[in-house]
Amino acid sequence: MTDDRLNALEDRLARLEDERAITRLIGCYGPLVDAADADAVAALWAEDGTYDVEGWGMRSRADVHAMVLSPQHQGLVTAGCTHFLGPVVVTVEGDTAVAVCESVLVVHHKERFHVARAGANRFELVRNDGVWEILHRTTRALDGDAAARDLLAVVR
């Protein structure tokens, strides 16, 4: 195998490993937030990472941690819920990446499960010391508003 072919193969493998790591990181969010594991959820974010969801702006890892422990979130968890993030489309460029996906929040109420929210999500990620972290997450309700569609439009 020539050096060029070997280098190309190594580059492809590194890109796939990055995409897998990011997909796994985003996939961990739902189970961890539903388990109310505030430390583990917060660790998905960069120290100065943000999470912008309607009505709630988190501006740091500490804010994400506080959200998981908040009465609003604890109420969802104790009643029964699932935060499900669908397949993620990841674009990696060096030590930064963008990922988009749709999500559904299902809540338990009166012995039934109901979709409480469907959302569009855009993640901007950064590799810090070899570990991928969320730098910015934006979520908008898929309620017909163009803002949610615009988050998803980066997929090509």
Side-chain angles (χ1 to χ4, degrees):
M1 183 174 283
T2 67
D3 286 346
D4 288 344
R5 286 189 63 203
L6 183 57
N7 289 339
L9 184 60
E10 288 174 344
D11 290 345
R12 286 177 51 208
L13 179 58
R15 187 175 59 252
L16 289 171
E17 288 175 336
D18 287 338
E19 289 175 8
R20 183 182 184 282
I22 291 166
T23 299
R24 188 176 195 295
L25 179 145
I26 293 170
C28 286
Y29 176 80
L32 292 173
V33 80
D34 292 336
D37 189 339
D39 292 336
V41 173
L44 301 175
W45 264 260
E47 191 65 42
D48 60 346
T50 66
Y51 183 6
D52 175 11
V53 60
E54 296 99 345
W56 208 331
M58 292 153 267
R59 302 290 170 235
S60 66
R61 181 183 286 166
D63 286 353
V64 172
H65 188 275
M67 176 274 296
V68 176
L69 298 178
S70 71
Q72 298 92 327
H73 183 74
Q74 292 298 311
L76 288 172
V77 171
T78 58
C81 69
T82 183
H83 291 76
F84 178 80
L85 282 73
V88 181
V89 178
V90 179
T91 303
V92 177
E93 291 188 18
D95 287 335
T96 64
V98 173
V100 298
C101 67
E102 295 168 318
S103 61
V104 177
L105 170 59
V106 178
V107 297
H108 185 252
H109 180 70
K110 296 185 180 180
E111 299 186 26
R112 302 208 54 180
F113 289 92
H114 306 274
V115 174
R117 177 185 178 85
N121 300 269
R122 176 187 167 93
F123 295 82
E124 295 175 29
L125 303 107
V126 63
R127 185 186 348 239
N128 284 323
D129 296 324
V131 177
W132 286 102
E133 297 175 324
I134 300 166
L135 188 58
H136 304 291
R137 177 181 176 183
T138 304
T139 302
R140 294 292 178 262
L142 283 164
D143 59 4
D145 191 282
R149 291 192 308 275
D150 290 346
L151 291 178
L152 300 174
V154 299
V155 176
R156 302 258 187 261

